[in-house]
Amino acid sequence: SFSGFGADASGCAPAILPVSGAGTGTRTLGRVCACVQVDKQHQSKDSVYFRDGLRRIDFILSYVEDKDGERKEERRKIYEANLKNVGLQLELEDKSESEDGKTYFLKIHTPWDVLATYADVLKIKVPFKVNDVPDNHEAPASWLFTPLRLPDHVMHPEPDYFTSPFDKSKTDFFLIDDKETFFPPSTRNRIVYYILSRCTYNKDDKLNKDKRGIKRLLNNGTYTSAFPLHDCRYWTRSRDSSCESERYSLYRYWARFLRFYKEQPLNLIRRYYGEKIGIYFAWLGFYTEMLFYAAVVGLACFIYGAATKEICDENIGGNIVMCPLCDKKCGYWKLNSTCNSTWQSHLFDNTATVFFAIFMGIWVTLFLEFWKRRQARLEYEWDLVDFEEEQQRLQLRPEYETKCTSKRLNRVTQEMEPYLPVTSKLARSCLSGATVLFWVSIKSLLIAYRLAVFAALASFMKDSPTNKLEVVGSLITPQLATSVTASCINFIIIMILNFLYERVAIWITDMEIPKTHVEYENKLTVKMFLFQFVNYYSSCFYVAFFKGKFVGYPGKYAYMFNEWSGLRNEECDPGGCLIELTTQLVIVMAGKQVWGNIQEALVPWLQNWWKSRSARSHPESLYSRWEQDYDLQNFSQFGLFYEHLPLLLIQFGFITLFVASFPLAPLLALMNNILEVRVDAWKLTTQFRRPVAAKAHSIGAWDEILNMIAIFSVVTNAFIVAFTSDMIPRLVYLYAYHPGTELTMKGYINNSLSIFNISEIPFKNSPDPSENPPWFSSSVTTCRYRDYRYPPGHEHEYSHTMQFWHILAAKMAFIIIMEHVVFVVKFFVAWIIPDVPSDVKARVKRERYLIQEYLHNYEVEKLKLQLSQSGDQCICPEIASTVKHEVLSECLT
């Protein structure tokens, strides 16, 4: 035997077989404990097998010797001995064989008996019969999509089987042709990681129970990395014919940008990376497909806005003097200066906006309902129908087991298990909630910044060099400067807070000590969502629903805290708040997408290039498969968080919550996602180590978050159309306040502006004389402002007019009507579209029926065989009579 399944401390294994490995080197024959040195000049190390060329490498652990080497060496010795006791086989690559001369690589192989044992424990589904149900799922006019198809061997890398949870005592029930290849590599590395995460590294199991799992060994530096191997180099097939070379197939057909128009090989992705990553790419691909329809409609609405350009009469605007927009540093100005911003605002603020807002409310419902159907089909095809994460719920986290010293009886398993006392759980939850509120409140300080910087910029603009430029000086106003700088600084703050929020969320979740992996992920998801929701959307909500709504009027302006604070509430830009909201969305959305692609693709590539710069000069035969993967980036356990959050929070939220202000958002999202799919695929296939396979039947807690955003988006878009755009005031004027008998918008501008007596403006609000334009003189006695108030001299001077209350009533009526219409349509669509396709239901029932039938026949045949071998004697008369009854029934049949 191989001395306890492994190599000795020097990294040499006793050889018992004539072995040729992956290259041409020879080995010592016979049962000897000789130290075999690998000839690096002749034997290729670009292999996924042990030195014997027979046992496949399922996992790699690496470590280096340092100043704390004795303690770490003791931990490794105990840990590896415990791994051997479990049944894993180990083989060590000495540091002299590594490229840097410092790193040891421990290769792990899982024999069949261990695989079978843990496949039974984890209830992994395996095939027992070829699927005989015809697949009639064929899209209409499918021939049109032929150019988008991939070869069948890529789309369906293995036949379709009926599957059942593995049972070690019934191995002959399943379709096992070759035990070495029966479990795919993704399943093998999942089983190994399950063992590694629960194996202890202390001598006495009753003491120091926190000394358990590969995560702690990685954190304390005992090992430097732990990862499963890629099966080959991504740009070429493996030289070993027994190796699948699935990584090469993924790169060739999926991870190249020139394949952007092709479908994704989801079955191959699932087979190589596991169901969790497969379901993410399935969701991303489906989301991108659905964005196409929203992008087309949004583009049509934008074209409509551009084609119906409003006429800005220079003569009318040139005669209207507007009141200052800020204290002291803002002078009087004429309305015709807003013609350009008014035209820009009309591109997005027109009658098509209402239609598009309603359309997106229905679109998001269709997206979610059709995704449920797509997800149900994937659950069946990927053997996740009965998964429901029950096994994960029953599997305690190793961290929970080590940190909880109290025990109680589990009512489900009827076994004693650790638990967290209620008092401790309550204290941790309170501390967690207080921390969340504190970090969420930090973002609100940006509003105070906006008000303070407005006054500072207004003062700065007075002596700014740009003021002397004939063209630029007239365009760079305090309002524009504040809007642009606030949007850019807001984006920078978002990036900084993202970095902090991520670590705070993980720290808080770890502090709560969740019981299971599912509970941990759900808690972390909720915290990350809450943090990012406030981080990305607080400024947009401020601009959409608060800015310019509570400013007061000349002579009685409203202030943020009080009049002495000097922080006067912001007014909207001359073109309205909608164009500023659009600017905010474009800067944050586009900036994050550009930054995200740089961060996701360019940074890992540069890091990998630098790490492997010396190894690239050596022949392939000397650059081992484990060293190649060691030089790649580590795929952390939160990898999918980095992918889901930008899409769900930034993109999906922006194209649903604020889409009424920017109809081109779905088009930008579509173009980004086409690139995103291939960037993620390229990055995962070429720049990262192979992640440990994990099961998931859905995108988890994100499903509920998507539904919540979908419902909330109806409300936000209704309020944007009602309160942020000028749609409702225009309609009220057109149908109730227009002059004459014909419907016309003539006179609307004059009607929407109120009059104020300049002499009544307090000194603290009056502009400095140097701030007034040359055309301003004492002959100008009144100024105009955006509001509906009675003019000076009226008995209700400066009070709201009846038209103001009519418009407010119309806005509230519009919100109620729009919400009810969209919600009725949404719920009707959700009710009429079944979550599970009918053919999938039939196939699920067929599979369950066959499992029962085959298991019953299997047991009967097994008992018949036992009876025939033992003669007429039977230990259990009841079973014997049952079998005789079955035999009699078969004879009668």
Side-chain angles (χ1 to χ4, degrees), residues 149-165:
R149 305 295 184 198
L150 289 174
D152 191 64
H153 73 276
V154 177
M155 290 301 298
H156 305 286
E158 56 186 356
D160 189 12
Y161 294 103
F162 288 124
T163 59
S164 177

Side-chain angles (χ1 to χ4, degrees), residues 618-825:
H618 295 294
E620 290 185 9
S621 60
L622 304 184
Y623 194 20
S624 66
R625 168 101 318 271
W626 43 93
E627 287 181 285
Q628 293 175 40
D629 287 6
Y630 181 73
D631 289 339
L632 298 178
Q633 297 296 303
N634 182 43
F635 190 86
S636 70
Q637 61 174 323
F638 305 114
L640 291 179
F641 272 88
Y642 301 135
E643 305 301 336
H644 278 297
L645 277 175
L647 286 172
L648 290 176
L649 295 178
I650 305 173
Q651 193 184 97
F652 187 79
F654 282 155
I655 68 168
T656 53
L657 294 174
F658 304 102
V659 74
S661 64
F662 190 40
L664 290 181
L667 180 62
L668 293 182
L670 174 65
M671 293 188 295
N672 174 79
N673 284 9
I674 292 175
L675 178 64
E676 182 81 23
V677 171
R678 304 302 159 176
V679 168
D680 287 349
W682 173 83
K683 175 184 64 178
L684 194 61
T685 306
T686 67
Q687 304 302 310
F688 279 82
R689 298 171 187 163
R690 186 174 183 172
V692 178
K695 275 189 172 291
H697 76 292
S698 66
I699 57 176
W702 297 113
D703 271 331
E704 296 302 322
I705 292 176
L706 285 172
N707 281 288
M708 186 184 71
I709 292 177
I711 294 175
F712 195 41
S713 66
V714 178
V715 180
T716 57
N717 283 298
F719 272 86
I720 288 174
V721 173
F723 287 97
T724 308
S725 77
D726 286 335
M727 182 64 58
I728 303 302
R730 289 171 180 270
L731 293 176
V732 170
Y733 178 82
L734 179 64
Y735 290 103
Y737 288 90
H738 67 276
T741 57
E742 295 183 0
L743 294 179
T744 177
M745 291 297 295
K746 185 177 181 179
Y748 168 73
I749 297 296
N750 187 63
N751 176 266
S752 64
L753 300 174
S754 299
I755 303 174
F756 194 84
N757 195 335
I758 293 179
S759 62
E760 297 180 24
I761 298 179
F763 176 76
K764 63 181 180 181
N765 302 129
S766 299
D768 293 336
S770 59
E771 300 294 337
N772 291 326
W775 51 261
F776 183 79
S777 64
S778 58
S779 60
V780 181
T781 59
T782 61
C783 64
R784 311 293 292 272
Y785 59 99
R786 293 170 63 95
D787 208 342
Y788 293 90
R789 294 179 183 270
Y790 289 110
H794 194 276
E795 60 177 338
H796 300 295
E797 184 180 63
Y798 303 137
S799 297
H800 283 122
T801 64
M802 188 57 65
Q803 185 176 354
F804 170 84
W805 301 110
H806 287 168
I807 292 174
L808 181 61
K811 289 179 177 180
M812 300 306 295
F814 171 81
I815 292 173
I816 294 173
I817 293 172
M818 178 179 170
E819 286 182 354
H820 280 68
V821 169
V822 175
F823 279 133
V824 167
V825 175

Side-chain angles (χ1 to χ4, degrees), residues 491 588-600 672 675:
F491 174 70
V588 176
M589 189 173 178
K592 175 56 183 168
Q593 289 176 353
V594 172
W595 174 254
N597 286 326
I598 292 175
Q599 192 178 26
E600 292 174 9
N672 174 79
L675 178 64

Side-chain angles (χ1 to χ4, degrees), residues 258-301:
L258 294 179
R259 298 279 181 173
F260 73 92
Y261 62 95
K262 293 286 189 179
E263 60 184 336
Q264 296 187 86
L266 295 178
N267 289 320
L268 186 59
I269 297 170
R270 172 247 182 172
R271 178 179 170 84
Y272 192 75
Y273 291 116
E275 288 80 3
K276 194 167 189 176
I277 291 179
I279 205 77
Y280 163 69
F281 279 102
W283 177 86
L284 178 56
F286 182 77
Y287 171 51
T288 304
E289 293 173 14
M290 291 294 292
L291 273 177
F292 173 79
Y293 305 102
V296 170
V297 178
L299 181 62
C301 293

